[in-house]
C-alpha cells in the first residue's frame, strides 16, 4: 500500500522500545517464551527483512515491538486481545493515529494462524521474522517447554496448534515470503515441522502418554 506520510520519529520508536522492554521485564516470570528475548529477535529480523523487501522500515520496527503485547494481557491469547494495550503504548509514545491504525493492521495480517499468501510487504517482514523464531532449531529444544508454561497448555495442544497452523502454509509455498529467507531457512522449518508431526503421532501411543504423565517438563 502506497502512503504519503511522515516517518515515525526515532524518539517515538525508542519510547515504544523502552515501554515494551519494561513491560517484558516486569512480567518476565510470566513471559517465558514471549519475553524481551523474543521481541528483540523479531524486531531485529523484521527490520532486516523490511530493508530487503522495500517495506516501511520504521513502521515494521514498531509493529515488531508491539506485536505480542496480547500475551501481557492474557495467556494463550490472540493478537486482537492486545489491541487496547498496543494503542495505549503507541499513543503515549507519540505515534500518529494513522500509523497506529497501520501498525494494528500489520500485526493482524502477520498472525500465523490467519495469514494468507497476499499480505502487505510490512506484514511479510514481520511474519518472516516471527516465523523464523518458531523455526529456529533451538526453539523446540530450549523454548518449547517455556511456551507450555507461559500459556498453560499441554504438549498435545501445542503440537496440534503448530501442525494445524503451519504445515499448510509450508505445503502451499508461503511459509516464508522473502525468497532469501526461504532459501536459507526452509530446511530448518521443514525439520521443525517434521518433528512436531512426529510428536503428534507419538502422543497416540499409550506408552508415550503414560511416560509423559510420569515426567515433569
Amino acid at each position: 500500500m502506497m502512503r504519503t506520510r511522515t516517518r515515525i520519529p526515532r524518539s517515538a520508536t525508542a519510547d515504544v522500545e523502552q515501554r515494551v522492554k519494561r513491560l517484558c521485564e516486569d512480567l518476565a516470570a510470566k513471559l517465558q517464551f514471549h519475553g524481551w528475548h523474543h521481541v528483540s529477535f523479531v524486531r531485529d529480523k523484521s527490520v532486516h527483512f523490511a530493508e530487503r523487501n522495500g517495506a516501511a522500515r520504521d513502521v515494521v520496527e514498531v509493529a515488531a515491538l508491539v506485536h505480542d503485547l496480547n500475551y501481557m494481557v492474557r495467556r494463550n491469547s490472540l493478537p486482537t486481545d492486545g489491541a487496547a494495550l498496543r494503542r495505549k503504548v503507541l499513543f503515549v509514545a507519540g505515534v500518529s493515529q494513522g500509523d497506529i491504525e497501520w501498525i494494528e493492521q500489520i500485526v493482524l495480517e502477520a498472525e500465523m494462524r490467519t495469514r494468507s499468501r497476499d499480505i502487505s510487504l510490512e506484514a511479510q517482514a514481520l511474519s518472516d521474522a516471527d516465523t523464523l523464531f518458531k523455526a529456529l532449531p533451538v526453539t523446540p529444544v530450549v523454548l518449547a517447554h517455556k511456551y507450555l508454561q507461559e500459556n498453560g497448555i499441554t504438549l498435545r495442544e501445542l503440537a496440534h496448534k503448530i501442525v494445524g497452523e503451519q504445515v499448510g502454509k509450508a505445503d502451499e509455498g508461503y511459509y516464508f515470503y522473502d525468497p532469501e529467507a526461504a532459501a536459507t531457512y526452509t530446511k530448518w522449518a521443514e525439520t521443525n515441522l517434521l518433528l512436531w508431526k512426529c510428536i503428534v503421532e507419538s502422543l497416540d501411543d499409550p506408552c508415550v502418554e503414560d511416560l509423559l504423565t510420569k515426567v515433569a517438563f
Side-chain angles (χ1 to χ4, degrees):
M1 181 181 298
M2 298 298 295
R3 295 169 181 259
T4 302
R5 53 178 290 271
T6 302
R7 289 177 58 88
I8 297 174
R10 287 306 304 171
S11 58
T13 301
D15 193 313
V16 172
E17 178 177 346
Q18 288 305 308
R19 290 176 188 279
V20 173
K21 186 175 183 181
R22 193 176 308 120
L23 284 168
C24 287
E25 291 170 349
D26 291 345
L27 298 171
K30 295 181 179 180
L31 297 174
Q32 298 183 50
F33 186 92
H34 292 104
W36 184 246
H37 57 283
H38 171 75
V39 174
S40 58
F41 177 94
V42 173
R43 185 269 311 276
D44 292 346
K45 287 295 186 180
S46 292
V47 168
H48 174 69
F49 292 133
E51 289 173 341
R52 274 225 302 259
N53 75 1
R57 178 194 185 281
D58 57 324
V59 175
V60 170
E61 181 174 4
V62 176
L65 287 168
V66 300
H67 80 285
D68 273 340
L69 289 189
N70 54 290
Y71 291 103
M72 301 181 187
V73 176
R74 191 172 76 246
R75 68 193 320 203
N76 198 27
S77 58
L78 298 174
T80 49
D81 297 310
L85 180 56
R86 271 194 298 276
R87 290 175 185 276
K88 179 179 178 181
V89 168
L90 297 173
F91 177 79
V92 174
V95 178
S96 72
Q97 188 60 43
D99 284 338
I100 290 174
E101 298 298 335
W102 192 7
I103 288 165
E104 187 66 17
Q105 177 184 334
I106 291 166
V107 170
L108 298 183
E109 272 191 289
E111 161 64 9
M112 173 64 81
R113 185 177 59 91
T114 54
R115 68 178 171 87
S116 65
R117 184 184 299 275
D118 300 312
I119 60 176
S120 66
L121 292 176
E122 289 74 22
Q124 288 180 27
L126 174 56
S127 176
D128 279 350
D130 202 24
T131 298
L132 176 57
F133 188 89
K134 296 175 174 68
L136 291 173
V138 298
T139 295
V141 178
V142 178
L143 294 168
H145 71 289
K146 293 182 180 294
Y147 188 98
L148 298 178
Q149 293 167 4
E150 176 186 312
N151 290 286
I153 63 175
T154 66
L155 180 61
R156 182 183 298 275
E157 289 171 324
L158 176 58
H160 280 282
K161 173 182 172 65
I162 290 171
V163 172
E165 293 180 358
Q166 300 183 31
V167 170
K169 295 171 178 63
D171 290 345
E172 292 172 21
Y174 63 97
Y175 194 75
F176 292 108
Y177 296 93
D178 181 272
E180 186 173 331
T184 305
Y185 304 123
T186 291
K187 182 174 73 172
W188 292 358
E190 290 175 343
T191 301
N192 181 65
L193 292 177
L194 178 59
L195 169 64
W196 285 105
K197 286 193 284 188
C198 289
I199 290 173
V200 169
E201 293 174 5
S202 74
L203 293 175
D204 288 332
D205 186 322
C207 292
V208 173
E209 186 174 16
D210 183 59
L211 169 67
L212 293 178
T213 63
K214 299 173 180 176
V215 178
F217 65 95

